[in-house]
Amino acid sequence: MDETAQFIDFCINILFPALADGLMITVLLVLITAPFGIAFGVLLAVGRVYGKSYGNWICRLFVGFVKGCPLMLLLFILYFGLPTVPYVGVTFDAFTASIIGFICCNSAYNSEYVRGAIISVKEGQLIAASALGMTKRQAIMYIVLPQALRRAIPGLSNEFIYLIKYSSLAYMITLVELTGAGKIVFTKYFEPGVFFVVGIVYLALVTVTTVGANALEKKYAVPGTQKR
Amino acid sequence: MSENKTDYILRVEDIHKTYGDAEVLKGVSFNVRKGDTIVFIGPSGTGKSTLLRCINQLTVPDSGRVWLHDEEVTNSGKKINRFRQKIGMVFQNFYLFDHLTAIKNVEIALIKVKGMSPEAAREKALYELRQVGMEDFADHYPAELSGGQAQRVSIARALAMEPDVILFDEPTSALDPELTREVLEVMRKLALEGMTMLVVTHEMGFARSVATEIVFMESGVIQEIGTPAEVFGDGGGFERIRSFMGKIGDLSGD
Ligand SMILES: Nc1ncnc2c1ncn2[C@@H]1O[C@H](COP(=O)(O)OP(=O)(O)OP(=O)(O)O)[C@@H](O)[C@H]1O
Ligand SMILES: [Mg+2]
C-alpha cells in the first residue's frame, strides 16, 4: 500500500469519525453563540449610541472589559475561576463556559460594527420619524436599525468568521471541538496530515459563511443605492 | 371682527431660542387660521427653520408657547408625539426613509404610530400617493426617485397622517426649476383644498398666488407681515420685504 492510500485509509477510519464529533461541537458553539452575539451586540450598540446615564455606562464598561481581556483568559476565569469565588461561585461545564465567553466576545465586537452603522445613518431619518410622531424607540426600531443592520452585515459576518476560528479556544478549557479533536488524533498517531485536514474543514466553514453573508447582503440591499 | 382665541388653529407666542451666544429667535408670535397658507421669507440664518422646528418641538424653544387648537404643544412631555401626528412636516432634503419603498414610507407611521391595519394603511397610502401623482412609483425606493418625486412622496407621507397643519421648510430649494414646479403644483392644490400650511420658501410666484399672508423675518424677529395684495401692490410700507424680494429676484433672474 502506498502512502497516499494509507493516509486516505487513516482519514476514513480514524480521523473523520473523530473530527466529526469535534466539528459537531464547533458548529454547535458557533450556531448557539451567533444569534445571542448579534442580539446582544445590537442592544449594546443601541445602549452606547442612545442610552442615557446608567445604561450607557454599563454598555461601555462591558465592551471595554471584554475588549481588554484576552479571550483565553476570559474562558479560564469562567471555567476555573468562578467556582472558587466565595458565596457567589458558580460552576459551569466546559460547553456552557465556552458559550458564555464567546457570547461576551462576539457581542462586544459586533456592537462596534453596529454602532458604527447606526452612527452612519443620516440624522434626517430620525428627524423625519420624530416629526411623524414616532417615539425614539419606534424610530430606532423601524427606521434606524433596519438601515444600520444592513450596513453592518459585512462586519457581522467578519465577526462570525472570527468566531468560527476562536471557538477552538474552547479546547483550552477541555472542550474537545474541531481543533481539539484533531490534536488528540495527532497525539495518538503522530500524523501531521491531521492538521491540514482540520484546516481544510475550517476553510470550508469560513467559505460557507462568506457565501451566505454575500447572499444576505445582496438580498437586503436597498435598490437604487449603489454599493462600492 | 371678533378676535376670539378659538378662531385660530395654531398660535405661536413669543418664541425665544438661543444657540450658544447667538439669539436666533428673539420673540416671535403669530396666529394661524384654518385654511391659511402663511409664507415665511427672509435672509439666510434668520431663524426660519428654527421657528418651524420650534412649532413641533423638534427644537425646544427656550421660552414661549405654541398652541394647537386649545392645547399647549410646548411643555407637553410625552404627549408631544400626539401633537406631531397633527403637525406634518416637509423638509428641504425630503428625508424619505431610505430603506422603504415610496408606499412603505407613507404606510409606516400609519401602522406603527396610528395603529392602522396594514391593509387599511396600504389603501390610505395609495390614496395619498395618488393625490401627489406618485401612485405609479409606489414600489420605487427613494434612491430611484428624482428630487421632485421624492418631495411629492414626502408630502404624501405628511398628508397621510391627516394633520391639522403642515410645515414646509424650503421644500423646493434642493430642486431644479422643472421639479420645483411639480412640487409647487401639489402644494398649490393642497392650499386650494383648504390645508393649513406654513411655508418657508423663496418662490415668490407661489407666495403671491397662494399665500394668505407673507411674513418677512430678519434677525430673529418678524419684521413685516402683509397679504400678497398689500406686499405686491403699490401701497406704502413693506419696504423691507420689497427690497429683499428685489434681491432674490435679481438672483433668480426674474
Ligand atoms: N442646532 C443648532 N446648533 C447651533 N446653531 C444652530 C442650530 N440650528 C441653527 N443654528 C443657527 O441658528 C441660526 C438660524 O438658523 P436657521 O436654520 O433657523 O435659519 P434659516 O432662516 O432657516 O436660514 P436658511 O434660509 O439658510 O435656511 C443660524 O445662524 C444657524 O447657524
Ligand atoms: Mg432654513
Side-chain angles (χ1 to χ4, degrees):
Chain A
M1 222 194 258
D2 70 350
E3 268 182 40
T4 316
Q6 226 175 346
F7 184 66
I8 292 174
D9 198 49
F10 165 76
C11 283
I12 292 172
N13 291 317
I14 296 162
L15 184 56
F16 288 168
L19 290 190
D21 291 344
L23 176 62
M24 186 67 174
I25 298 290
T26 292
V27 169
L28 275 179
L29 284 174
V30 170
L31 291 186
I32 295 174
T33 299
F36 289 101
I38 291 173
F40 291 141
V42 171
L43 284 178
L44 285 168
V46 170
R48 287 169 70 192
V49 179
Y50 298 110
K52 298 208 168 53
S53 60
Y54 290 125
N56 189 298
W57 271 106
I58 289 170
C59 294
R60 277 168 197 253
L61 226 76
F62 176 82
V63 174
F65 167 75
V66 172
K67 282 174 69 180
C69 176
L71 180 53
M72 201 192 293
L73 180 63
L74 179 60
L75 293 179
F76 287 162
I77 290 173
L78 285 166
Y79 188 63
F80 300 114
L82 281 189
T84 67
V85 178
Y87 305 114
V88 292
V90 271
T91 309
F92 296 119
D93 59 63
F95 188 80
T96 311
S98 301
I99 291 281
I100 295 173
F102 295 159
I103 289 177
C104 288
C105 182
N106 188 242
S107 62
Y109 285 97
N110 281 345
S111 83
E112 297 279 24
Y113 291 110
V114 177
R115 177 171 166 269
I118 288 176
I119 290 171
S120 79
V121 173
K122 283 185 250 106
E123 191 196 9
Q125 301 287 304
L126 205 57
I127 294 176
S130 305
L132 285 166
M134 285 195 197
T135 60
K136 190 86 175 252
R137 176 190 289 257
Q138 288 174 322
I140 293 169
M141 287 263 292
Y142 304 124
I143 306 301
V144 176
L145 281 183
Q147 296 185 32
L149 288 179
R150 281 176 166 85
R151 288 178 209 181
I153 290 174
L156 293 176
S157 74
N158 220 11
E159 227 21 76
F160 190 97
I161 287 168
Y162 280 128
L163 167 63
I164 292 172
K165 292 182 289 184
Y166 64 61
S167 69
S168 61
L169 285 175
Y171 185 50
M172 301 304 294
I173 54 170
T174 75
L175 186 65
V176 181
E177 40 62 69
L178 184 56
T179 302
K183 174 75 177 3
I184 288 170
V185 174
F186 171 75
T187 315
K188 207 159 158 193
Y189 297 90
F190 282 104
E191 171 54 74
V194 164
F195 294 122
F196 291 101
V197 175
V198 171
I200 290 167
V201 177
Y202 276 110
L203 197 61
L205 291 177
V206 169
T207 306
V208 168
T209 304
T210 307
V211 170
N214 287 343
L216 212 62
E217 203 179 336
K218 210 162 158 193
K219 179 176 176 214
Y220 286 105
V222 175
T225 52
Q226 212 54 55
K227 294 200 75 179
R228 274 176 284 261
Chain B
M1 176 177 163
S2 79
E3 290 271 302
N4 191 316
K5 270 187 169 184
T6 51
D7 284 352
Y8 297 115
I9 194 168
L10 182 77
R11 286 181 288 135
V12 174
E13 263 176 31
D14 201 27
I15 297 290
H16 287 258
K17 180 70 190 179
T18 300
Y19 285 117
D21 38 324
E23 197 177 4
V24 175
L25 295 176
K26 304 172 183 168
V28 175
S29 308
F30 61 90
N31 298 317
V32 183
R33 284 193 182 77
K34 188 166 164 42
D36 277 357
T37 297
I38 315 277
V39 168
F40 292 80
I41 60 174
S44 185
T46 47
K48 303 180 299 292
S49 298
T50 307
L51 176 61
L52 288 196
R53 294 165 61 104
C54 281
I55 291 174
N56 65 357
Q57 302 286 290
L58 285 178
T59 294
V60 180
D62 299 335
S63 65
R65 291 166 149 202
V66 175
W67 302 78
L68 185 68
H69 300 295
D70 280 328
E71 291 186 281
E72 189 178 348
V73 178
T74 33
N75 311 308
S76 57
K78 284 209 185 309
K79 222 178 141 202
I80 188 60
N81 290 313
R82 269 203 266 144
F83 286 114
R84 285 181 181 154
Q85 294 174 47
K86 295 273 124 208
I87 305 174
M89 190 157 196
V90 172
F91 305 89
Q92 180 174 350
N93 295 314
F94 333 130
Y95 294 164
L96 287 183
F97 303 130
D98 290 336
H99 64 303
L100 298 176
T101 58
I103 191 159
K104 291 239 164 79
N105 260 276
V106 183
E107 277 174 15
I108 187 142
L110 296 177
I111 297 170
K112 303 300 181 189
V113 179
K114 286 207 158 183
M116 279 170 76
S117 73
E119 297 75 34
R122 174 142 291 239
E123 202 167 308
K124 174 85 175 152
L126 258 181
Y127 171 81
E128 299 299 351
L129 285 178
R130 213 171 293 131
Q131 293 302 299
V132 299
M134 284 298 293
E135 72 272 33
D136 292 343
F137 293 85
D139 294 322
H140 285 234
Y141 282 84
E144 302 172 319
L145 300 174
S146 75
Q149 292 169 337
Q151 192 60 296
R152 285 187 283 150
V153 171
S154 96
I155 292 173
R157 178 175 70 178
L159 281 176
M161 301 300 282
E162 302 188 340
D164 293 336
V165 47
I166 304 185
L167 316 173
F168 293 83
D169 191 0
E170 305 208 33
T172 62
S173 294
L175 304 177
D176 296 340
E178 186 61 24
L179 305 180
T180 294
R181 223 161 35 89
E182 68 184 48
V183 170
L184 290 180
E185 227 21 76
V186 167
M187 291 170 60
R188 194 186 308 272
K189 189 177 119 208
L190 282 183
L192 288 177
E193 288 168 2
M195 177 54 74
T196 311
M197 321 202 297
L198 271 53
V199 186
V200 175
T201 184
H202 292 149
E203 293 297 328
M204 286 306 125
F206 176 83
R208 183 171 198 158
S209 59
V210 179
T212 326
E213 274 178 332
I214 298 173
V215 174
F216 179 64
M217 281 186 70
E218 193 169 25
S219 319
V221 292
I222 292 178
Q223 302 279 5
E224 293 173 347
I225 300 186
T227 64
E230 292 168 334
V231 171
F232 291 95
D234 39 20
F238 305 104
E239 284 80 15
R240 293 198 237 205
I241 295 194
R242 286 171 188 168
S243 128
F244 177 72
M245 287 193 306
K247 280 184 210 145
I248 58 172
D250 288 344
L251 285 175
S252 60
D254 56 25

